[in-house]
Amino acid sequence: MGKKILFVTNNNALNTSFGAEQRSNLLLKAFLANGFKVDLVYIGPEKDSYCPKIEGVNIAYWNNGTIWEISKFNKYLRLLTYKMFPTSRKLSKIINGLEQQNKYDYIACRYLQFASLAGLYKYAHKLILDIDDLPHQSFLTNVKANKVSFIKSIYRRMMYKSMKNETLSWIRNCKASLLPNKEQAIEYKCIYFPNIPITSNNRTKFLPDNKSILFIGRMDYSPNYLGIDAFISNCWDSIIQLEPNAKLLIAGKGLTDEFKKSWESHKNIELLGFVDNILDFYNQGNIVISPIIAGAGTNIKVIEALSLGKACVLSKFSIKGFEDVIEEDTNCMIYNNYNDCINKVIRLFQDQELCEKIGKMAYNNVADKYSQEFLNKSLKKIIQQDYN
């Protein structure tokens, strides 16, 4: 009888339309590659009808729009910063029923917050927890920009400390915890499980004299829309003055009318919305911008663009987690401030040979280091600890 795993995820592991889904899909593939029969539990907040049949995957539960309520007592404990990650009785009951019926060899879950919501701490001894973004760091990133009173700042520090302590408790007790950032994985004694692009092993063509800059990302995710908004506000008009034929192509769903109106007031910006074919999008330009200035995880869009042979202009924040493959001015450009960003974009426009060379080096340095095979082997090591 084959090994059985219950895979709980708050996004659709059968789809790959954005970064979080891609990582869930990569995990699912790794489970299947290691001989697991997978019971999939999708607990996403929105109804998702995309549910193809895949050999080895049984849909154990598929959310149709249920909101996972937590008790008033749990809310009170969170308010007191005693327990920052609450549990939903309804969801935990579903999970307990599946576990009692099937007696899984392992349980896996995407994100600590949802592992807690599903009541998985009691199964920590066989839980493979994909932390992905450290919750306390995400919290710190989201609140850093907002100035508050002294009292509120003290309260936030209490929340941060409680989140960090709970995170460490989960990591200590879980069978295995996964992180996509190598340095964080070492620091927190987790397993390095990188984000890899679904477009790996492809390479786009270089377009001579092309003046387009590309950006892709979900536009309802604040680090994405705030990052590209800052780039437009601080860099784009200057780039247009120096290179009138330059274009900025922005792909991604979820953009609000407010930002749409603001960005369209600038020259030569095209908002493409959701793109069906990522490779077709990347084939429209040689340069990719990643002006991200906030966030807790790694930016899969960076490694995706590098693996496709694009000349990337990156904020220092964007390279977090990819330091082992990034070589400044060799396989990418990294900027320190917005004037530096403008200068590096213009340099790539004006020096086509350099632009093409950086793209080639990016492809050569990255394409073989991020693969599904690497993830499969990483998961195999976790399992072998129990079967050797």
Side-chain angles (χ1 to χ4, degrees), residues 4-52:
K4 296 184 294 184
I5 190 166
L6 179 68
F7 184 23
V8 182
T9 176
N10 72 306
N11 50 64
N12 190 348
L14 304 176
N15 208 352
T16 56
S17 65
F18 58 93
E21 284 187 346
Q22 290 173 27
R23 185 168 176 85
S24 296
N25 185 257
L26 294 169
L27 263 170
L28 178 62
K29 288 178 179 176
F31 296 145
L32 294 173
N34 280 280
F36 280 104
K37 297 292 184 183
V38 181
D39 276 5
L40 181 62
V41 171
Y42 165 63
I43 58 172
E46 297 178 2
K47 186 174 181 180
D48 191 328
S49 60
Y50 187 78
C51 189

Coordinates of all heavy atoms in Angstrom, one line a residue, residues 4-52:
K4 N 0.4 7.7 2.1 CA -0.7 8.6 2.0 C -0.4 10.0 2.7 O 0.2 10.0 3.7 CB -2.0 8.1 2.6 CG -2.5 6.8 1.9 CD -3.8 6.4 2.5 CE -3.6 5.9 4.0 NZ -4.9 5.4 4.6
I5 N -0.7 11.0 2.0 CA -0.5 12.4 2.6 C -1.8 13.2 2.4 O -2.4 13.2 1.4 CB 0.7 13.1 1.9 CG1 1.1 14.3 2.7 CG2 0.5 13.4 0.5 CD1 2.5 14.9 2.4
L6 N -2.1 14.0 3.4 CA -3.2 15.0 3.3 C -2.5 16.3 3.1 O -1.7 16.8 3.9 CB -4.0 15.0 4.6 CG -5.1 16.0 4.7 CD1 -6.2 15.6 3.7 CD2 -5.7 16.1 6.1
F7 N -2.9 17.0 2.0 CA -2.3 18.2 1.6 C -3.3 19.3 1.8 O -4.3 19.4 1.0 CB -1.7 18.2 0.2 CG -1.0 19.4 -0.3 CD1 -0.4 20.3 0.6 CD2 -0.9 19.7 -1.6 CE1 0.2 21.4 0.2 CE2 -0.2 20.8 -2.1 CZ 0.4 21.7 -1.2
V8 N -3.1 20.2 2.8 CA -4.1 21.3 3.0 C -3.5 22.6 2.5 O -2.4 23.0 2.9 CB -4.3 21.4 4.6 CG1 -5.3 22.5 4.8 CG2 -4.8 20.1 5.1
T9 N -4.2 23.3 1.6 CA -3.7 24.5 1.1 C -4.8 25.6 0.9 O -5.9 25.2 0.6 CB -3.0 24.2 -0.3 OG1 -2.6 25.5 -0.9 CG2 -3.9 23.5 -1.3
N10 N -4.5 26.8 1.1 CA -5.4 27.9 1.0 C -5.5 28.5 -0.4 O -6.2 29.4 -0.7 CB -5.1 29.0 1.9 CG -3.9 29.8 1.5 OD1 -2.8 29.2 1.3 ND2 -4.0 31.1 1.4
N11 N -4.7 27.9 -1.3 CA -4.8 28.3 -2.8 C -4.8 27.0 -3.6 O -4.5 25.9 -3.1 CB -3.6 29.2 -3.2 CG -2.3 28.7 -2.7 OD1 -1.9 27.7 -3.2 ND2 -1.6 29.4 -1.8
N12 N -5.1 27.2 -4.8 CA -5.4 26.0 -5.7 C -4.1 25.4 -6.2 O -3.4 25.9 -7.1 CB -6.3 26.5 -6.9 CG -6.8 25.3 -7.7 OD1 -6.3 24.2 -7.6 ND2 -7.7 25.6 -8.6
A13 N -3.8 24.2 -5.6 CA -2.6 23.5 -6.0 C -2.6 22.9 -7.4 O -1.6 22.4 -7.9 CB -2.2 22.4 -5.0
L14 N -3.8 22.9 -8.0 CA -4.0 22.3 -9.3 C -3.9 23.4 -10.4 O -4.0 23.1 -11.6 CB -5.4 21.7 -9.4 CG -5.7 20.6 -8.4 CD1 -7.1 20.1 -8.5 CD2 -4.7 19.5 -8.5
N15 N -3.6 24.6 -10.0 CA -3.5 25.8 -10.9 C -2.1 26.4 -10.7 O -1.4 26.2 -9.8 CB -4.6 26.8 -10.7 CG -5.0 27.5 -11.9 OD1 -4.3 27.5 -12.9 ND2 -6.0 28.3 -11.8
T16 N -1.7 27.3 -11.7 CA -0.4 27.9 -11.6 C -0.5 29.4 -12.1 O 0.4 29.9 -12.7 CB 0.6 27.2 -12.5 OG1 0.2 27.1 -13.8 CG2 0.9 25.8 -11.9
S17 N -1.6 30.1 -11.8 CA -1.9 31.4 -12.3 C -1.1 32.5 -11.6 O -1.0 33.6 -12.1 CB -3.4 31.7 -12.3 OG -3.9 31.8 -11.0
F18 N -0.6 32.2 -10.4 CA 0.2 33.2 -9.7 C 1.2 32.5 -8.8 O 1.1 31.2 -8.6 CB -0.6 34.2 -8.9 CG -1.6 33.6 -7.9 CD1 -1.2 33.5 -6.6 CD2 -2.8 33.2 -8.3 CE1 -2.0 33.0 -5.6 CE2 -3.7 32.7 -7.3 CZ -3.3 32.6 -6.0
G19 N 2.1 33.2 -8.1 CA 3.2 32.6 -7.4 C 2.8 31.7 -6.3 O 3.4 30.6 -6.2
A20 N 1.9 32.0 -5.5 CA 1.5 31.1 -4.4 C 0.9 29.8 -4.9 O 1.2 28.7 -4.4 CB 0.4 31.8 -3.5
E21 N 0.1 29.9 -6.0 CA -0.4 28.6 -6.6 C 0.7 27.8 -7.2 O 0.7 26.6 -7.1 CB -1.4 29.0 -7.7 CG -2.8 29.4 -7.2 CD -3.8 29.6 -8.3 OE1 -3.5 29.6 -9.5 OE2 -5.0 29.6 -7.9
Q22 N 1.7 28.5 -7.8 CA 2.8 27.8 -8.4 C 3.6 27.0 -7.4 O 3.9 25.8 -7.6 CB 3.7 28.8 -9.1 CG 3.2 29.4 -10.3 CD 4.1 30.5 -10.9 OE1 5.3 30.5 -10.7 NE2 3.5 31.5 -11.5
R23 N 3.8 27.6 -6.2 CA 4.5 26.8 -5.1 C 3.7 25.7 -4.6 O 4.3 24.6 -4.4 CB 4.9 27.8 -4.0 CG 5.7 27.1 -2.9 CD 6.3 28.2 -2.0 NE 7.1 27.6 -0.9 CZ 8.3 27.2 -0.9 NH1 9.0 27.4 -2.1 NH2 9.0 26.7 0.1
S24 N 2.4 25.8 -4.5 CA 1.6 24.7 -4.1 C 1.6 23.6 -5.1 O 1.6 22.4 -4.7 CB 0.1 25.2 -3.9 OG 0.0 26.1 -2.8
N25 N 1.6 24.0 -6.4 CA 1.6 23.0 -7.4 C 3.0 22.2 -7.4 O 3.0 21.0 -7.7 CB 1.4 23.7 -8.8 CG 1.3 22.7 -9.9 OD1 2.3 22.6 -10.7 ND2 0.2 22.1 -10.1
L26 N 4.1 23.0 -7.2 CA 5.4 22.3 -7.1 C 5.4 21.3 -6.0 O 6.0 20.2 -6.1 CB 6.5 23.4 -6.9 CG 6.7 24.4 -8.1 CD1 7.6 25.5 -7.6 CD2 7.2 23.7 -9.3
L27 N 4.9 21.7 -4.8 CA 4.8 20.7 -3.7 C 4.0 19.5 -4.0 O 4.4 18.4 -3.7 CB 4.2 21.4 -2.5 CG 5.1 22.0 -1.5 CD1 4.4 22.9 -0.5 CD2 5.9 20.9 -0.7
L28 N 2.8 19.7 -4.7 CA 2.0 18.6 -5.1 C 2.8 17.6 -6.0 O 2.7 16.4 -5.8 CB 0.7 19.1 -5.8 CG -0.2 18.1 -6.3 CD1 -0.8 17.2 -5.2 CD2 -1.4 18.7 -7.1
K29 N 3.5 18.2 -7.0 CA 4.3 17.4 -7.9 C 5.4 16.6 -7.2 O 5.6 15.5 -7.5 CB 4.9 18.3 -9.0 CG 3.9 18.8 -10.0 CD 4.6 19.7 -11.0 CE 3.6 20.2 -12.0 NZ 4.2 21.2 -13.0
A30 N 6.0 17.3 -6.2 CA 7.0 16.6 -5.4 C 6.4 15.4 -4.6 O 7.0 14.4 -4.5 CB 7.7 17.6 -4.4
F31 N 5.2 15.6 -4.0 CA 4.6 14.5 -3.3 C 4.3 13.3 -4.3 O 4.6 12.1 -3.9 CB 3.2 14.9 -2.7 CG 3.3 16.0 -1.7 CD1 2.4 17.0 -1.6 CD2 4.4 16.0 -0.8 CE1 2.5 18.0 -0.6 CE2 4.5 17.0 0.2 CZ 3.5 18.0 0.3
L32 N 3.8 13.6 -5.4 CA 3.5 12.5 -6.4 C 4.7 11.9 -6.9 O 4.8 10.6 -7.1 CB 2.7 13.1 -7.6 CG 1.3 13.7 -7.3 CD1 0.7 14.4 -8.5 CD2 0.4 12.6 -6.9
A33 N 5.8 12.6 -7.1 CA 7.1 12.1 -7.6 C 7.7 11.1 -6.6 O 8.5 10.2 -6.9 CB 8.1 13.2 -7.9
N34 N 7.3 11.3 -5.3 CA 7.9 10.5 -4.2 C 6.9 9.4 -3.8 O 7.0 8.8 -2.8 CB 8.2 11.3 -3.0 CG 9.6 12.0 -3.1 OD1 10.6 11.4 -2.9 ND2 9.5 13.3 -3.5
G35 N 5.9 9.1 -4.7 CA 5.1 7.9 -4.5 C 3.9 8.1 -3.6 O 3.3 7.1 -3.2
F36 N 3.5 9.3 -3.3 CA 2.4 9.5 -2.4 C 1.1 9.5 -3.1 O 1.0 9.9 -4.3 CB 2.5 10.9 -1.7 CG 3.4 11.0 -0.5 CD1 4.7 11.6 -0.7 CD2 3.1 10.4 0.7 CE1 5.5 11.6 0.4 CE2 3.9 10.5 1.8 CZ 5.2 11.1 1.6
K37 N 0.1 9.0 -2.4 CA -1.3 9.2 -2.8 C -1.7 10.4 -2.0 O -1.6 10.5 -0.8 CB -2.2 8.0 -2.4 CG -1.8 6.7 -3.2 CD -2.1 6.8 -4.7 CE -1.9 5.5 -5.4 NZ -2.1 5.6 -6.8
V38 N -2.2 11.4 -2.7 CA -2.5 12.7 -2.1 C -4.0 12.9 -2.0 O -4.7 12.9 -3.0 CB -1.9 13.8 -3.0 CG1 -2.1 15.2 -2.3 CG2 -0.4 13.6 -3.2
D39 N -4.4 13.2 -0.8 CA -5.8 13.7 -0.5 C -5.6 15.3 -0.4 O -4.9 15.8 0.5 CB -6.4 13.2 0.8 CG -7.0 11.8 0.6 OD1 -7.0 11.3 -0.6 OD2 -7.6 11.3 1.5
L40 N -6.3 16.0 -1.3 CA -6.1 17.4 -1.4 C -7.3 18.1 -0.7 O -8.4 17.9 -1.0 CB -6.0 17.9 -2.8 CG -5.8 19.4 -3.1 CD1 -4.5 19.9 -2.5 CD2 -5.9 19.7 -4.6
V41 N -7.0 19.0 0.2 CA -8.0 19.8 0.9 C -7.7 21.3 0.5 O -6.7 21.9 0.9 CB -8.0 19.7 2.4 CG1 -8.9 20.7 3.1 CG2 -8.4 18.3 2.8
Y42 N -8.6 21.9 -0.3 CA -8.5 23.3 -0.7 C -9.4 24.1 0.2 O -10.6 23.9 0.2 CB -8.9 23.4 -2.2 CG -9.2 24.9 -2.6 CD1 -8.2 25.8 -2.5 CD2 -10.4 25.3 -3.0 CE1 -8.4 27.1 -2.9 CE2 -10.7 26.6 -3.4 CZ -9.7 27.5 -3.3 OH -9.9 28.8 -3.7
I43 N -8.9 25.1 0.9 CA -9.6 25.8 1.9 C -9.6 27.3 1.5 O -9.9 28.2 2.4 CB -9.1 25.7 3.3 CG1 -7.6 26.1 3.4 CG2 -9.3 24.2 3.8 CD1 -7.1 26.1 4.9
G44 N -9.4 27.6 0.2 CA -9.3 29.0 -0.2 C -10.7 29.7 0.1 O -11.7 29.1 0.1
P45 N -10.6 31.1 0.3 CA -11.8 31.8 0.6 C -12.7 32.1 -0.5 O -13.9 32.5 -0.3 CB -11.2 33.2 1.1 CG -9.9 33.3 0.4 CD -9.4 31.9 0.2
E46 N -12.3 31.8 -1.7 CA -13.2 32.1 -2.9 C -13.5 30.8 -3.6 O -12.7 29.9 -3.7 CB -12.5 33.1 -3.8 CG -12.3 34.5 -3.2 CD -11.6 35.4 -4.2 OE1 -11.4 35.0 -5.3 OE2 -11.3 36.5 -3.8
K47 N -14.6 30.7 -4.2 CA -15.0 29.6 -5.0 C -14.1 29.5 -6.2 O -13.9 30.5 -6.9 CB -16.5 29.7 -5.5 CG -17.0 28.4 -6.2 CD -18.5 28.6 -6.5 CE -19.0 27.3 -7.2 NZ -20.4 27.4 -7.4
D48 N -13.5 28.3 -6.4 CA -12.6 28.1 -7.5 C -13.1 26.8 -8.2 O -13.0 25.7 -7.7 CB -11.2 27.9 -7.0 CG -10.2 28.0 -8.2 OD1 -10.5 27.5 -9.3 OD2 -9.0 28.5 -7.9
S49 N -13.5 26.9 -9.5 CA -14.0 25.8 -10.2 C -13.0 25.0 -10.9 O -13.3 23.9 -11.5 CB -15.1 26.2 -11.2 OG -14.5 27.2 -12.1
Y50 N -11.7 25.5 -11.0 CA -10.7 24.8 -11.7 C -10.2 23.6 -10.9 O -9.5 23.7 -9.9 CB -9.5 25.7 -12.0 CG -8.4 25.1 -12.8 CD1 -8.6 25.0 -14.2 CD2 -7.3 24.6 -12.3 CE1 -7.7 24.4 -15.0 CE2 -6.3 24.0 -13.1 CZ -6.5 23.9 -14.5 OH -5.5 23.4 -15.3
C51 N -10.6 22.4 -11.3 CA -10.4 21.2 -10.4 C -10.2 20.0 -11.3 O -11.0 19.1 -11.3 CB -11.6 21.0 -9.5 SG -11.4 19.8 -8.3
P52 N -9.1 20.0 -12.1 CA -8.9 18.8 -13.1 C -8.5 17.6 -12.3 O -8.0 17.6 -11.2 CB -7.7 19.3 -13.9 CG -7.0 20.3 -13.0 CD -8.0 21.0 -12.2

